[in-house]
Amino acid sequence: NNPPGGLISFQPRHIGPRRRGGRRPGFALGCRKGTGATGGRHVENAMATRISPTLSCPPGRARARARRAPWVLAAIGLLPPGAVLAASPPPPSLSAPCLPVPLARGHVAEVRATGDLVLHDGSVLRPAGLAGGGAGQAVSWRAALAGRVAGREIAFAAGPARDRYGRRTALIADPGAAAAAEGATLQQALLREGLAVLRPEDAVLACLPAWLAAEAEARRDRRGLWRQLPLAAANIAALRAQQGRFTIVAGPILDVGKTARVDYLNFGRVWRQDMTGRVEAEGQASLAAHGLAPADLAGRLVRLRGTLFEAGGPAITLRRAEQIELAGDAAHASRGGGMENGAEGRARPTGDE
């Protein structure tokens, strides 16, 4: 256990094969009393290869964690959505209404296979915050979307900027009159049915609480895409089959490797074949804004969402904190709990392994 006012030091105990991050895995963690002028809470990391989830934090850090606003914890899955607003006022980006007013209106002439809406005036809207399909395939919500809006007038909020395909990113009001009056979105309805999964982006930050709750409902009832999701981090063949697509991967983070620029969330012991989450400067800054560091994720059971690519093994780059949800700890995963779709976890290896 960490002594009061102690600092964390890392002592080598075993040499094993190298992991991503360029360091060897067999180092245990220990604490010793700090003697620095500022109280001695420092981290010696010259020999560090991972951060142990079993080591308790110094009191100062624990107090800092306790002061984190509840809306931050809920955004990454530590609190249920219903516990957020009652405990602490969220920041402006989350307290703003999901659908701004007034809304623009347009008549839908076509719903493309990509899920984009073509209006009669020729403008193209991309429904913000949704993923499902991709890699040249029709999106999973195309038929449901067409059934709701094709040939009808819709109300939407979209900025003037266009992407390289000429599309404007849009929040679309649910066509039902009662739902629209409550500020509900078409995206939320598709997430609740499991026809799409949430893709965090700037345009949807104010909608995250409602959308995450809708997605959680679909996940709990295993609707639509959630019959196959999340993918088990240990199922490398299934992950490689989804290369280039946005998906959700679940599993325990065994440890966190670190280099000068990148933190590596290691889901397995052999990074050249196992699943890895990459956290570069943008992701590090986003986690820090939520009061977290990549090292805090060691030993946690998580759901990580993003586009899969090959980097020795399957990998996802974490660019924003909203891409990762905490679902438990690795010990829980090793007992078979908390994993969907047959995902199997194992406890974090000890420093002697």
Side-chain angles (χ1 to χ4, degrees):
N1 290 328
N2 218 15
L7 65 87
I8 303 171
S9 63
F10 298 79
Q11 302 298 330
R13 293 180 60 183
H14 173 74
I15 299 299
R18 287 186 181 273
R19 285 215 188 99
R20 190 184 291 271
R23 299 177 173 90
R24 299 184 185 276
F27 291 92
L29 298 179
C31 298
R32 65 176 174 82
K33 192 71 172 178
T35 57
T38 59
R41 291 193 180 98
H42 309 283
V43 176
E44 296 175 347
N45 56 13
M47 302 288 290
T49 62
R50 64 165 175 258
I51 306 300
S52 168
T54 61
L55 189 65
S56 60
C57 299
R61 188 173 181 182
R63 287 194 298 271
R65 284 180 171 173
R67 290 194 298 267
R68 289 175 192 157
W71 68 267
V72 169
L73 301 178
I76 57 171
L78 284 174
L79 288 179
V84 183
L85 297 180
S88 177
S93 60
L94 294 184
S95 61
C98 177
L99 277 175
V101 291
L103 297 174
R105 292 191 171 271
H107 200 88
V108 178
E110 178 189 357
V111 179
R112 292 177 175 171
T114 55
D116 300 330
L117 306 182
V118 182
L119 305 184
H120 275 182
D121 63 4
S123 60
V124 182
L125 304 179
R126 175 182 70 84
L130 298 182
Q137 298 183 357
V139 294
S140 51
W141 66 83
R142 193 266 174 193
L145 187 61
R148 285 174 166 85
V149 302
R152 302 179 184 177
E153 185 181 61
I154 60 170
F156 63 93
R162 288 173 168 78
D163 64 13
R164 59 178 175 170
Y165 303 108
R167 306 174 301 179
R168 298 164 64 194
T169 300
L171 296 170
I172 304 166
D174 192 307
E182 297 172 1
T185 59
L186 188 55
Q187 285 98 322
Q188 183 177 345
L190 297 175
L191 290 169
R192 183 177 292 109
E193 293 177 23
L195 298 175
V197 295
L198 195 157
R199 181 200 297 264
E201 56 182 281
D202 289 340
V204 305
L205 292 183
C207 304
L208 281 181
W211 290 13
L212 284 170
E215 186 185 73
E217 184 179 328
R219 181 175 67 248
R220 182 179 61 250
D221 295 340
R222 303 194 68 76
R223 301 173 189 161
L225 296 174
W226 292 100
R227 297 189 186 99
Q228 290 80 39
L229 293 176
L231 301 177
N235 192 341
I236 304 304
L239 296 179
R240 284 186 165 141
Q242 297 298 313
Q243 185 173 342
R245 301 179 186 176
F246 190 99
T247 191
I248 300 175
V249 177
I253 296 176
L254 299 188
D255 55 36
V256 177
K258 185 175 182 62
T259 65
R261 297 188 304 106
V262 183
D263 291 292
Y264 296 97
L265 311 180
N266 294 315
F267 288 82
R269 292 180 170 87
V270 184
W271 69 263
R272 286 184 176 87
Q273 69 182 36
D274 291 329
M275 174 67 198
T276 304
R278 291 173 54 95
V279 189
E280 301 179 8
E282 184 179 6
Q284 292 163 0
S286 181
L287 287 173
H290 288 72
L292 288 173
D296 296 331
L297 301 172
R300 300 305 301 269
L301 180 64
V302 304
R303 287 186 292 269
L304 175 65
R305 63 184 73 209
T307 301
L308 273 168
F309 64 96
E310 187 71 19
I316 289 176
T317 297
L318 190 152
R319 293 186 169 88
R320 55 195 322 149
E322 293 85 359
Q323 285 178 247
I324 196 163
E325 297 173 84
L326 305 184
D329 56 38
H332 179 58
S334 69
R335 295 190 296 269
M339 302 295 291
E340 296 92 345
N341 193 30
E344 295 179 358
R346 59 189 174 193
R348 181 190 57 81
T350 68
D352 292 329
E353 286 187 319

